[in-house]
Amino acid sequence: MPTDSKLRTFKVFDSHFHIIDKRFPLVPNNGYLPDDFTCEDYLERTKSMNIAGGAIVSGSFQALDQSYLIDALQKLGPGFVGVTQLPASVSDEEVLRLNELGVRAVRFNLKRGGSEKVENLEGLAMRIYDLARWHVELYVDSGDLPDLHDTLVRLPAVSIDHLGLSKDGFTTLLSLVERGVRVKATGYSRVDFEVKGALREICAVNQDALMFGTDLPSTRAPRPYTDDDLLLTAEALGEETARKVLYENAVAFYRPKQLS
């Protein structure tokens, strides 16, 4: 079967990608500013895939700006949701306003910064869940998870980016998965372990935990996403589990308004 046909076999909710539009504020992160990757660029890059929705994730270089995200959600439509960065001082009214616009989570970028500090993780996580059923997403190295374990298991809804990045701490990641934490099957070139085995181990603990994403445009990754990453996921997990990981798990977690 040609690669394009294989790709379109699977409906995908892209649980992790970035929109970068220099019409909106960008903040250098450790001297880094990304190139544009607009909504139009994203749709063009993924046109060979069966994309049914996804999660636009705020990067470190977007800091606390909401304007780019609101614009992107309006352009991409109600099958897409937002993952933003907010200060702990955000008002209840602002959370509810963003929820109505399609935002579903707050990101804590512990690896690169640009977000609220980890000291405010628990308090903000509890408040946004009570207000709008939002979860928190962590860009964190698994090596740091043992110190966060007790906090994370107290939180109502958590996801961890990029398979946790490192083999160091992967056992703790699996322990968190057993306790209901979700993990994004994203950024395969960012990790220091064999991806297929990690995908299988996570699904063996909890088939509902894993959520695939392209990580486009793969800013600062050793290599950008390729469609072989999706095919590798399907090959590693088998068709039935792959359908959960590529679509069903993320839709249940992110609760988009509707799907295309």
Side-chain angles (χ1 to χ4, degrees):
M1 185 185 294
T3 297
D4 279 5
S5 298
K6 288 182 182 177
L7 285 174
R8 297 199 66 80
T9 298
F10 295 99
K11 187 184 288 188
V12 174
F13 185 93
D14 185 352
S15 74
H16 193 104
F17 68 95
H18 303 285
I19 294 297
I20 303 157
D21 188 331
K22 291 182 180 174
R23 294 178 303 148
F24 301 100
L26 291 173
V27 179
N29 178 264
N30 297 319
Y32 174 79
L33 273 178
D35 294 329
D36 265 356
F37 188 73
T38 64
C39 292
E40 292 75 18
D41 293 329
Y42 175 75
L43 294 173
E44 175 65 23
R45 172 61 186 83
T46 58
K47 66 182 182 182
S48 63
M49 301 166 64
N50 187 6
I51 297 285
I56 309 162
V57 177
S58 290
S60 58
F61 39 78
Q62 285 154 329
L64 305 179
D65 174 56
Q66 309 301 320
S67 58
Y68 95 91
L69 184 56
I70 292 168
D71 179 80
L73 288 169
Q74 290 170 344
K75 284 182 176 175
L76 292 176
F80 290 81
V81 301
V83 178
T84 195
Q85 296 171 156
L86 290 170
S89 60
V90 64
S91 69
D92 291 357
E93 291 77 15
E94 177 68 354
V95 170
L96 294 172
R97 180 183 80 91
L98 292 171
N99 183 69
E100 191 60 30
L101 292 169
V103 176
R104 292 293 182 268
V106 169
R107 191 184 199 206
F108 282 75
N109 194 327
L110 306 185
K111 185 168 178 64
R112 299 198 190 277
S115 66
E116 184 54 270
K117 294 181 175 63
V118 70
E119 290 82 5
N120 292 313
L121 171 60
E122 186 167 3
L124 185 56
M126 294 296 193
R127 187 158 72 91
I128 61 175
Y129 187 83
D130 288 344
L131 276 171
R133 290 181 58 213
W134 286 8
H135 63 275
V136 290
E137 299 198 2
L138 274 65
Y139 185 14
V140 60
D141 190 292
S142 285
D144 296 324
L145 288 178
D147 290 340
L148 293 168
H149 180 276
D150 291 349
T151 297
L152 296 182
V153 297
R154 289 195 296 268
L155 303 185
V158 180
S159 72
I160 293 174
D161 294 345
H162 307 321
L163 297 171
L165 294 172
S166 71
K167 186 176 182 180
D168 183 25
F170 191 74
T171 300
T172 304
L173 180 72
L174 293 178
S175 171
L176 290 167
V177 167
E178 192 172 16
R179 301 290 292 272
V181 169
R182 310 300 180 100
V183 178
K184 291 192 180 183
T186 56
Y188 291 175
S189 74
R190 300 181 189 270
V191 308
D192 66 1
F193 49 79
E194 195 261 326
V195 170
K196 278 187 178 181
L199 298 177
R200 290 168 179 152
E201 285 189 71
I202 292 168
C203 284
V205 174
N206 181 358
Q207 284 197 0
D208 296 332
L210 203 57
M211 305 180 295
F212 176 82
T214 63
D215 188 35
L216 286 168
S218 308
T219 55
R220 289 187 274 196
R223 69 157 175 81
Y225 165 81
T226 73
D227 292 333
D228 285 342
D229 293 339
L230 188 157
L231 298 176
L232 178 150
T233 305
E235 179 184 332
L237 300 176
E239 186 169 322
E240 184 177 347
T241 303
R243 292 187 188 282
K244 288 176 66 64
V245 170
L246 294 169
Y247 179 75
E248 295 169 13
N249 290 347
V251 169
F253 197 56
Y254 282 99
R255 301 173 292 108
K257 288 183 178 180
Q258 70 181 59
L259 290 172
S260 57

